[in-house]
Amino acid sequence: MDCMAKIVNLPKIFDKRGNLSFIEGRNHLPFEIRRTYWIYDVPGGEVRGGHAYRENEEFVVALSGSFDVVLHNGVQQRRFSLNRSYYGLYIPKMTWRTLENFSTNALALVLSSTVYDPEDYIRTFDEFIAEMHG
Ligand code: TYD
């Protein structure tokens, strides 16, 4: 199991009728897809996320527009700018993550390894650091 956050390039089928990309769970992601959700209509300046998951892994794609995903692994912070629909960001479990700097009409697709479980959330950065290092 790959446990580093990383950009994953997806297949691109160029076509003069319009381009096509796809994601296959086992082929492109290091987890089985159990849930899909998307974030849209984000007002300018708003920030989503601001939590970590104990078990859930994610893959985030900017299907439209652009936004930044800011990750902290307990040691260092990294910012990834997503602005094309033919690549995405893999986010391992136990990663503090926020989504910010959304453009107008940004559409964030999120594929998840678990179904929604509020108990899986770590909701404060202090608790995240404590769980990481404790
Ligand atoms: P949350 O994950 O807290 O979003 P963000 O961190 O971007 O603010 O989810 C916001 C609300 O949506 C919260 O009430 C839980 C609900 N929700 C679901 O019911 N199912 C889901 O799959 C997700 C991601 C959220």
Side-chain angles (χ1 to χ4, degrees), residues 12-20:
K12 285 179 277 186
I13 315 293
F14 288 118
D15 193 309
K16 59 179 183 296
R17 299 170 301 160
N19 301 328
L20 182 153

Side-chain angles (χ1 to χ4, degrees), residues 27-48:
N27 283 343
H28 303 115
L29 306 180
F31 61 83
E32 195 90 57
I33 300 163
R34 292 248 160 66
R35 173 169 52 128
T36 303
Y37 65 93
W38 47 99
I39 297 169
Y40 54 97
D41 291 347
V42 179
E46 285 292 348
V47 175
R48 301 285 322 212

Side-chain angles (χ1 to χ4, degrees), residues 6-14 19-30 33 59-63 82 84-90 109 111:
K6 63 172 182 183
I7 294 289
V8 177
N9 289 309
L10 300 167
K12 285 179 277 186
I13 315 293
F14 288 118
N19 301 328
L20 182 153
S21 287
F22 60 93
I23 303 169
E24 292 174 342
R26 289 253 168 110
N27 283 343
H28 303 115
L29 306 180
I33 300 163
F59 186 69
V60 183
V61 182
L63 281 188
L82 302 186
R84 291 284 184 271
S85 62
Y86 51 76
Y87 67 82
L89 177 65
Y90 168 69
L109 177 73
L111 309 178

Side-chain angles (χ1 to χ4, degrees), residues 93-123:
K93 65 174 88 169
M94 288 303 284
T95 306
W96 187 262
R97 105 288 192 265
T98 58
L99 280 66
E100 59 188 54
N101 201 22
F102 285 86
S103 70
T104 305
N105 288 332
L107 172 56
L109 177 73
V110 185
L111 309 178
S112 295
S113 68
T114 67
V115 296
Y116 175 67
D117 175 9
E119 299 298 311
D120 192 42
Y121 281 60
I122 304 174
R123 297 182 188 279

